[in-house]
């Protein structure tokens, strides 16, 4: 009996000592201040356009594929000395941010980070994310001019800690140069460069770091991955083409290497035409005749609606744009679907969008003609 008591006491002591040891290690790491001691790297599943290195004391370095790097300094911690000249220092918390990327807005909204946004380069009427619109109506977010012609005087007066822009900034280097001249930090949201839709969602983890919402970001990503994993990805054999049309009559077909083609494949569809620019993302421009020859035998067509003023609801409206459309197989069979106008601003729920595509191409009746992100042209 005494021997058992001694063993029990010894085990208790080991547990207590182990706990103190772990607490000591944790507190030692937390006490790291003003220096960078590498700890680990974030393991990403799909995203390929950013990396994150974790340092003791809560410091992190975010590196984008475009070569820019950002050091996040935890609240209450000192900025390390002798940093690389190209390292942009972001002192947390970020509470005064200018938002020039709608896809970033989608991710930030769904992880609860929208309160940090005070300025935007998007006009009120161009927002389809309800919470952003509501924040502008309430005066919490102010329009600061378009992304390529922002009000520099207002930016200088407001002094945002960070500007988050889309990749469109690449075509306006003079704007980026002006930000540098004014001493304003800018981060380009490269989520749109991700070829896998879940890679785009995984950018939530980057914004989770910037706005102390890492758990929320992980939860969002896990939820969307679960939605995709739950879809029967076995090919339906149905061919699906995705395109949009501009007001001048040009048609833009999504390339086979584009993320939207990947969404169709994850939904059980076969992207059409087979192997169409499979090594390219983005779109290919076509005239009406070339588009007709390309799309004529597709089982389904998804019309991507970028219009802010005109939303198609009828097949006749699509045919009115070009009589050739009337002879397309998908049009004849009533298998043309359109994205909602909010589509191009949504990144956080791409898993649910894939689920909608799956429903659209597998539904045997018209019970699902109106989904969250898609609706059938009638």
């Amino acid at each position: 009996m005494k021997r058992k008591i001694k063993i029990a006491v010894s085990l208790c002591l080991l547990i207590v000592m182990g706990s103190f040891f772990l607490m000591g290690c944790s507190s030692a790491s937390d006490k790291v201040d003003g220096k960078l001691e590498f700890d680990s790297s974030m393991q990403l599943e799909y995203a390929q356009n950013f990396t994150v290195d974790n340092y003791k004391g809560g410091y992190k370095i975010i590196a984008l594929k475009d070569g820019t790097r950002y050091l996040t300094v935890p609240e209450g911690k000192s900025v390390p000395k002798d940093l690389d000249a190209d390292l942009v220092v972001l002192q947390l918390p970020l509470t005064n941010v200018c938002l020039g990327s709608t896809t970033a807005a989608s991710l930030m909204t769904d992880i609860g980070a929208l309160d940090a946004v005070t300025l935007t380069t998007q006009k009120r009427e161009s927002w389809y994310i309800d919470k952003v619109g509501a924040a502008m109506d309430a005066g919490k977010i102010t329009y600061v001019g378009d992304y390529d012609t922002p009000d520099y005087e207002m930016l200088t007066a407001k002094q945002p800690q960070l500007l988050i822009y889309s990749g469109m900034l690449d075509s306006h280097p003079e704007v980026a140069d002006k930000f540098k001249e004014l001493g304003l930090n800018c981060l380009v949201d490269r989520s749109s460069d991700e070829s896998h839709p879940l890679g785009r969602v995984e950018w939530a983890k980057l914004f989770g770091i910037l706005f102390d919402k890492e758990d929320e970001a992980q939860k969002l990503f896990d939820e969307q991955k679960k939605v995709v994993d739950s879809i029967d990805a076995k090919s339906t054999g149905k061919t699906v083409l995705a395109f949009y049309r501009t007001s001048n009559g040009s048609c833009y077909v999504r390339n086979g290497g584009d993320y939207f083609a990947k969404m169709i494949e994850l939904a059980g569809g076969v992207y059409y035409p087979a192997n169409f620019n499979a090594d390219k993302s983005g779109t290919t421009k076509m005239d009406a005749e070339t588009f007709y020859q390309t799309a004529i035998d597709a089982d389904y067509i998804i019309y991507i609606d970028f219009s802010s003023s005109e939303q198609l609801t009828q097949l006749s409206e699509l045919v009115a744009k070009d009589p050739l459309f009337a002879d397309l197989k998908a049009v004849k069979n009533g298998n043309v679907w359109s994205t909602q106008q909010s589509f191009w601003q949504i990144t956080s729920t791409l898993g649910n969008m894939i689920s909608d595509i799956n429903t659209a191409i597998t539904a045997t009746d018209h019970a699902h003609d109106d989904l969250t992100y898609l609706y059938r042209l009638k």
Side-chain angles (χ1 to χ4, degrees), residues 4-295:
K4 289 183 179 180
I5 292 173
K6 288 182 178 180
I7 292 174
V9 170
S10 298
L11 288 172
C12 288
L13 287 172
L14 286 172
I15 292 172
V16 171
M17 290 175 65
S19 298
F20 276 116
F21 175 76
L22 291 174
M23 290 172 63
C25 289
S26 175
S27 61
S29 176
D30 291 341
K31 289 179 180 178
V32 172
D33 185 19
K35 57 183 177 179
L36 295 179
E37 296 181 15
F38 180 77
D39 185 19
S40 62
S41 294
M42 177 182 285
Q43 299 301 308
L44 297 169
E45 297 186 48
Y46 295 95
Q48 298 181 342
N49 286 284
F50 77 93
T51 60
V52 179
D53 286 336
N54 303 309
Y55 293 80
K56 294 179 180 179
Y59 295 92
K60 298 179 188 293
I61 290 182
I62 299 169
L64 304 191
K65 200 171 183 178
D66 62 13
T68 54
R69 298 191 303 151
Y70 305 83
L71 170 67
T72 61
V73 180
E75 184 175 7
K77 294 293 179 72
S78 304
V79 177
K81 297 179 180 179
D82 301 321
L83 296 173
D84 293 341
D86 68 328
L87 201 56
V88 178
V89 177
L90 300 176
Q91 181 76 60
L92 304 184
L94 298 179
T95 58
N96 181 18
V97 172
C98 178
L99 193 56
S101 166
T102 57
T103 53
S106 174
L107 295 168
M108 290 172 60
T109 297
D110 280 12
I111 64 172
L114 191 61
D115 287 347
V117 180
T118 58
L119 303 168
T120 181
T121 60
Q122 294 281 338
K123 294 179 180 178
R124 171 64 182 91
E125 58 268 23
S126 66
W127 282 105
Y128 292 98
I129 300 174
D130 292 340
K131 289 186 178 179
V132 177
M136 293 190 75
D137 291 340
K140 295 179 180 179
I141 299 178
T142 303
Y143 173 63
V144 72
D146 291 345
Y147 79 99
D148 56 342
T149 55
D151 185 331
Y152 293 114
E153 289 187 6
M154 183 184 293
L155 287 173
T156 301
K158 298 291 186 180
Q159 283 294 304
Q161 297 161 284
L162 181 66
L163 298 101
I164 301 176
Y165 259 56
S166 72
M168 291 190 295
L169 183 64
D170 295 343
S171 59
H172 293 278
E174 74 282 0
V175 177
D177 290 342
K178 188 65 176 180
F179 291 156
K180 290 181 181 179
E181 178 187 327
L182 297 175
L184 299 173
N185 297 323
C186 183
L187 181 149
V188 178
D189 168 22
R190 301 287 180 184
S191 61
S192 296
D193 293 341
E194 299 291 346
S195 59
H196 197 290
L198 288 177
R200 296 182 171 216
V201 179
E202 199 161 21
W203 271 69
K205 297 178 182 179
L206 183 151
F207 296 114
I209 292 170
L210 294 179
F211 301 104
D212 193 24
K213 298 289 184 180
E214 292 185 66
D215 291 342
E216 292 84 348
Q218 185 66 54
K219 181 181 178 182
L220 173 65
F221 174 77
D222 290 343
E223 288 174 347
Q224 291 303 300
K225 185 174 184 294
K226 184 177 180 180
V227 170
V228 175
D229 290 343
S230 69
I231 298 171
D232 184 358
K234 183 171 60 178
S235 178
T236 63
K238 300 295 184 180
T239 55
V240 186
L241 177 144
F243 88 108
Y244 67 91
R245 184 181 183 278
T246 60
S247 58
N248 65 8
S250 298
C251 295
Y252 291 78
V253 177
R254 290 283 180 176
N255 291 320
D258 187 65
Y259 85 104
F260 201 86
K262 183 65 176 178
M263 289 174 66
I264 289 170
E265 292 171 4
L266 290 170
V270 178
Y271 193 66
Y272 183 90
N275 301 315
F276 178 69
N277 293 334
D279 59 339
K280 295 181 180 180
S281 60
T283 60
T284 292
K285 180 181 178 181
M286 299 179 179
D287 57 36
E289 180 65 33
T290 304
F291 174 75
Y292 169 76
Q293 296 171 354
T294 301

Side-chain angles (χ1 to χ4, degrees), residues 307-350:
S307 172
S308 60
S309 58
E310 179 187 16
Q311 186 172 23
L312 300 181
T313 59
Q314 306 291 322
L315 283 171
S316 58
E317 295 173 331
L318 179 64
V319 173
K321 290 181 177 296
D322 197 306
L324 287 174
F325 291 168
D327 292 329
L328 300 178
K329 178 181 177 180
V331 174
K332 288 181 177 180
N333 294 336
N335 289 328
V336 179
W337 292 74
S338 175
T339 61
Q340 296 286 356
Q341 289 176 304
S342 60
F343 159 76
W344 61 281
Q345 293 189 352
I346 301 298
T347 299
S348 59
T349 50
L350 288 181

